Amino acid sequence: MIMAPRIARERLLLVESMYSVIALLFLLVTCVELCDAASVVDVYRLIQYDMSGAPFGSRLASLNHHAGSLHFSPHTDLSRTVLVIPLRELNITFVKEYIVEKKPLGGILFLLPKMFSVENKGSMRTNHQDDGKERLKNVLAELEQILVHNNLPYPVYFAYEDDNIHDVLADIKKNDATGQPATATNGGYKFVVSAPEPKKVASPTITNIQGWLAGKKTDDDASQLPTIAIVASYDTFGAAPALSVGSDSNGSGVVALLEVARLFSLLYSNPKTRGHYNLLFGLTSGGPYNYNGTRKWLRSFDQRMRESIDYAICLNSIGSWEKDLWIHVSKPAENVYIKQIFEDFSSVAEELGFTVNLKHKKINISNPRVAWEHEQFSRLRVTAATLSELSTAPDLLERTGGLVDSRHFVNETAVVRSVKLIAESLARHIYRHQGKNIRVFADNSSLAVNPSYIRSWLNVLSQTPRVAPFLPKDDPFVAALKKELEDHTDQVDLQRDVLDGMFTFYDSTRAMLNVYQVASVTFDLLLLLVLGSYLILLFSFLVITTRGLDDLISLFRRPPSRKVKTA
């Protein structure tokens, strides 16, 4: 009667001990899996947007697949594989085959060289003899156009090369070279991105910033002073919104506008040197989207204000040229106003040692698409021109400050020369110095162009992604532009509006990629068997040493039936 409760308690203790052993076993296996994490990488998602209802870009954000390289076997199923593709090894033909022809993929991770990083502050050399860098630049530009104009039903991310991801890729290549890509049974590397489903960006805002320098009126001048507008669009568009800084397009245009505003603020601060022209400085948003912000900004002017604009000069991509610039216009070269603008700019350019060319392109009124910013002015019958290093108008969403447009490829000297051209040409028109070799902004004078100022703002713009739908209206960058214009102009105003038109954008632009080194199932089973055997032996040893062999045997012996006990 006394022995039965004691045996029951012993069996209860045994069961609890076995539960503890099992829990310890699972804990050890879990720890082994957790220790297999190789690294964590910052990644940037391919843009996701709709244009006129048609889907483009990457349509998914979360990722949980094994990794593979370009060294896979020809007949490998890649529907559950993330391809890791360094830009240096990229084959455009392969990309077109899998993306354009919509072959199944689990996802893609493109590895970009460090020179395309937003943190790269090195300026490009004045000569273009580094064929390797130029080749990578051209390959990336072509890749970007393919990505943004196709619908990809899987996640696509970008990351920058580093030692960790390089070591991981080397291991992946070794596995693929054996003809056994990573699977649940073979092991390998697994890439995991935990991200929520992308959502539509509701009512994306655009912010236009304008600064005003009032001209000097004489007593007998009762009419409104004429105005010259200097305009630059400051936002960008690219394959990865979190990386689209647009150092040249249109960071160079913004920097040139700020420096021109600074120079003329010095002239206009003195009543004796203030010109008889008002100067209007406009930093507009929505440039990649048919210059949506420029159109809204102009339509906010009353008729009298628009009629007072003598002409507008728009600045676009002026940071990577060597010998030639182009003035693009909508009116024919014979037009008296266009002729005057071109003569002012071409004469100054000749004195500075380079050439400015004139290119006329008619506007198709029935087509809402505009190729240049000045065309929004021309549609309202305001004389305008665009100064650019580009000889032909880019297509929609082309050359709008994407991945390839980094600080490394901007030439500070080109921006300085552009500012000298713009400032001197405006001064000749304002102070009626046409045909006279007079340098208002001569080097080594108090009105000289400041290369340090240009360099500092180029660095700021080259580290600031500016894709309009992801740039809040109260963003610090917008506040910085406003403050800079306030320092150099009399009156600064902000105009906020909603980006309208054919585009719809989705969030989730960056994430963290977790790279796990996954052991094969065979290894896991073997490890489980070894650990289990060890724990059983350990448990048996402890029972024998503390209670004896008979007690150990009795623990696993079936208890007598109730009938036997009764007998």
Side-chain angles (χ1 to χ4, degrees):
M1 297 294 291
I2 299 175
M3 293 294 294
R6 186 173 68 85
I7 294 174
R9 286 196 301 270
E10 289 176 352
R11 293 187 182 280
L12 181 62
L13 289 173
L14 174 64
V15 172
E16 292 178 350
S17 300
M18 293 184 68
Y19 280 138
S20 300
V21 170
I22 294 172
L24 178 61
L25 179 63
F26 279 108
L27 179 61
L28 289 173
V29 174
T30 304
C31 289
V32 171
E33 287 295 328
L34 290 176
C35 292
D36 281 339
S39 59
V40 179
V41 182
D42 291 320
V43 291
Y44 308 91
R45 193 168 78 101
L46 173 66
I47 195 167
Q48 178 181 352
Y49 70 100
D50 300 336
M51 184 166 61
S52 299
F56 292 95
S58 176
R59 312 308 293 184
L60 295 176
S62 61
L63 191 65
N64 190 355
H65 295 313
H66 284 84
S69 70
L70 291 175
H71 299 276
F72 60 86
S73 301
H75 303 294
T76 303
D77 180 13
L78 300 178
S79 60
R80 299 286 297 172
T81 300
V82 182
L83 281 184
V84 185
I85 306 178
L87 183 66
R88 302 179 191 276
E89 303 175 10
L90 180 65
N91 186 328
I92 287 294
T93 303
F94 166 82
V95 172
K96 290 179 179 178
E97 179 182 357
Y98 268 83
I99 293 180
V100 178
E101 297 180 12
K102 302 186 183 305
K103 290 191 175 183
L105 278 175
I108 304 178
L109 174 65
F110 290 104
L111 300 181
L112 305 179
K114 281 289 188 180
M115 65 176 157
F116 295 107
S117 171
V118 296
E119 298 177 356
N120 190 316
K121 298 181 182 180
S123 60
M124 188 177 179
R125 299 182 308 181
T126 53
N127 55 21
H128 289 222
Q129 296 178 356
D130 193 335
D131 295 335
K133 294 178 181 178
E134 284 299 309
R135 185 190 68 81
L136 288 176
K137 180 181 177 182
N138 295 334
V139 169
L140 183 55
E142 185 176 358
L143 170 66
E144 189 165 18
Q145 287 301 300
I146 293 173
L147 294 175
V148 300
H149 291 295
N150 280 280
N151 175 14
L152 287 77
Y154 44 79
V156 178
Y157 283 96
F158 299 90
Y160 291 114
E161 295 175 343
D162 61 21
D163 293 338
N164 290 334
I165 199 69
H166 181 269
D167 293 340
V168 170
L169 179 59
D171 286 345
I172 294 172
K173 288 180 179 178
K174 288 180 183 178
N175 293 338
D176 290 347
T178 63
Q180 295 182 344
T183 62
T185 57
N186 295 333
Y189 284 91
K190 177 170 280 190
F191 285 4
V192 178
V193 174
S194 300
E197 182 180 354
K199 298 179 181 179
K200 292 182 180 180
V201 178
S203 303
T205 58
I206 54 176
T207 303
N208 297 318
I209 312 169
Q210 75 171 37
W212 185 268
L213 277 177
K216 181 181 179 181
K217 274 191 175 185
T218 58
D219 295 336
D220 56 348
D221 188 5
S223 62
Q224 184 177 3
L225 287 178
T227 300
I228 296 177
I230 304 95
V231 186
S233 178
Y234 66 84
D235 56 354
T236 60
F237 176 92
L243 301 179
S244 300
V245 297
S247 298
D248 187 16
S249 178
N250 190 30
S252 60
V254 173
V255 172
L257 182 144
L258 294 176
E259 176 63 351
V260 170
R262 187 189 70 83
L263 293 174
F264 275 94
S265 70
L266 297 176
L267 279 175
Y268 275 51
S269 63
N270 187 342
K272 295 181 179 180
T273 56
R274 186 181 301 170
H276 296 284
Y277 275 83
N278 299 319
L279 293 180
L280 176 62
F281 298 93
L283 290 168
T284 60
S285 183
Y289 321 111
N290 220 35
Y291 296 99
N292 190 266
T294 308
R295 181 176 64 84
K296 292 177 179 292
W297 180 53
L298 291 175
R299 293 187 180 278
S300 69
F301 297 163
D302 57 30
Q303 185 65 25
R304 187 182 178 203
M305 175 62 193
R306 285 201 294 266
E307 290 177 351
S308 74
I309 299 177
D310 203 18
Y311 70 84
I313 182 72
C314 303
L315 311 179
N316 183 295
S317 302
I318 53 175
S320 60
W321 60 279
E322 290 187 355
K323 297 180 180 179
D324 296 276
L325 280 173
W326 294 81
I327 294 180
H328 298 271
V329 294
S330 301
K331 296 181 179 180
E334 295 76 20
N335 181 278
V336 61
Y337 298 104
I338 299 299
K339 187 175 181 180
Q340 185 62 63
I341 295 172
F342 179 63
E343 287 179 355
D344 289 340
F345 276 80
S346 60
S347 62
V348 173
E350 185 178 355
E351 294 169 11
L352 295 174
F354 55 88
T355 305
V356 171
N357 306 286
L358 185 67
K359 193 161 190 179
H360 170 229
K361 174 184 170 295
K362 288 184 178 180
I363 296 178
N364 183 359
I365 300 296
S366 61
N367 184 4
R369 158 85 173 126
V370 295
W372 298 106
E373 189 167 16
H374 74 266
E375 294 182 13
Q376 292 289 13
F377 287 84
S378 300
R379 285 172 179 266
L380 296 177
R381 302 185 183 279
V382 177
T383 301
T386 294
L387 180 69
S388 177
E389 67 204 12
L390 305 177
S391 59
T392 57
D395 293 330
L396 183 65
L397 303 182
E398 181 186 16
R399 299 190 70 119
T400 50
L403 293 172
V404 75
D405 193 355
S406 67
R407 180 71 174 86
H408 186 84
F409 295 98
V410 174
N411 188 345
E412 291 176 16
T413 304
V415 181
V416 170
R417 295 166 76 196
S418 299
V419 171
K420 289 181 179 179
L421 170 67
I422 299 163
E424 292 289 356
S425 301
L426 293 176
R428 292 194 180 186
H429 187 87
I430 292 171
Y431 299 104
R432 296 178 174 85
H433 291 161
Q434 288 91 343
K436 301 176 183 179
N437 189 2
I438 298 175
R439 295 284 183 91
V440 177
F441 305 100
D443 293 339
N444 301 320
S445 70
S446 60
L447 294 175
V449 175
N450 188 343
S452 297
Y453 181 86
I454 290 173
R455 183 182 307 112
S456 63
W457 268 102
L458 273 177
N459 290 337
V460 170
L461 287 156
S462 299
Q463 297 177 65
T464 309
R466 304 185 303 280
V467 178
F470 309 104
L471 195 67
K473 61 183 180 180
D474 55 351
D475 190 88
F477 175 75
V478 175
L481 288 180
K482 178 177 180 289
K483 182 180 183 304
E484 194 63 25
L485 276 185
E486 286 175 339
D487 291 342
H488 304 308
T489 57
D490 300 330
Q491 179 182 346
V492 174
D493 297 310
L494 295 181
Q495 180 197 45
R496 293 191 173 99
D497 213 321
V498 177
L499 177 66
D500 56 21
M502 63 182 78
F503 291 93
T504 302
F505 294 90
Y506 295 78
D507 60 10
S508 187
T509 60
R510 63 176 70 202
M512 300 297 293
L513 169 68
N514 294 281
V515 181
Y516 295 97
Q517 189 171 12
V518 183
S520 66
V521 173
T522 304
F523 175 79
D524 289 341
L525 291 175
L526 180 61
L527 180 63
L528 181 63
L529 179 62
V530 171
L531 289 174
S533 301
Y534 169 75
L535 291 174
I536 291 173
L537 290 174
L538 178 62
F539 176 76
S540 301
F541 173 77
L542 292 175
V543 172
I544 291 172
T545 55
T546 57
R547 300 173 58 184
L549 181 61
D550 292 337
D551 287 340
L552 177 64
I553 295 173
S554 66
L555 290 175
F556 296 97
R557 183 181 297 159
R558 290 183 59 185
S561 64
R562 301 184 66 181
K563 292 182 179 180
V564 174
K565 289 182 180 180
T566 304

